Amino acid sequence: MSFDYGKKRIGIAIGQNITATASPLEIVTTKNNKINWSRIDFLIKEWQPNQFVIGLPKYADGSDNPVTIAVKSFIKKLSARYQLPVHTIDETLSSVAAAERTKSNELLDAVAAQIILETWFSECP
């Protein structure tokens, strides 16, 4: 399961290690910087992932940007809550690639999560 974390929306995708494929799942909205953990709980119970992949935003020079800190906080909470391995991968241009794949703004963040997971499948063992 992968996440494209944003302060207003979290795109979620699900994938299959054997086929190295991923599909957009849904977008979970946040309200007043509060994550909708009950919805994420439901999705994790339903899909039963064995690991998480999170897109980690960075500046072009590799340094952290303001969103990086929020993503790292999300990673800590996700790891503590579900006790599953969490992997990060550079998410540079995932939103741009997602916009090229879909014309639906409603699916954009979930498609970005799909691209993050597909990138992880192609770059990581």
Side-chain angles (χ1 to χ4, degrees):
M1 182 174 276
S2 67
F3 298 87
D4 178 40
Y5 179 85
K7 291 186 177 185
K8 294 182 181 179
R9 291 175 305 281
I10 301 170
I12 303 173
I14 194 71
Q16 169 54 259
N17 287 339
I18 295 170
T19 60
T21 57
S23 300
L25 189 57
E26 83 175 59
I27 295 168
V28 173
T29 56
T30 60
K31 194 172 193 176
N32 300 324
N33 291 323
K34 303 249 188 236
I35 297 168
N36 184 348
W37 287 111
S38 63
R39 185 63 189 159
I40 293 173
D41 288 344
F42 173 82
L43 293 171
I44 289 171
K45 185 176 180 181
E46 180 179 10
W47 289 94
Q48 300 181 10
N50 59 6
Q51 60 191 338
F52 301 122
V53 177
I54 315 295
L56 192 61
K58 299 269 188 175
Y59 285 123
D61 67 2
S63 63
D64 289 354
N65 67 37
V67 180
T68 308
I69 296 164
V71 172
K72 287 180 177 180
S73 174
F74 175 69
I75 289 168
K76 285 180 185 176
K77 292 173 186 172
L78 194 69
S79 179
R81 190 174 185 105
Y82 302 109
Q83 302 295 304
L84 291 172
V86 178
H87 309 280
T88 61
I89 191 159
D90 181 10
E91 70 164 28
T92 304
L93 303 179
S94 64
S95 294
V96 173
E100 291 175 358
R101 279 197 196 180
T102 183
K103 301 299 178 205
S104 170
N105 284 337
E106 293 177 13
L107 291 176
L108 189 63
D109 297 302
V111 172
Q114 174 189 9
I115 291 167
I116 288 165
L117 191 51
E118 289 171 346
T119 302
W120 188 80
F121 283 143
S122 69
E123 294 181 5
C124 301

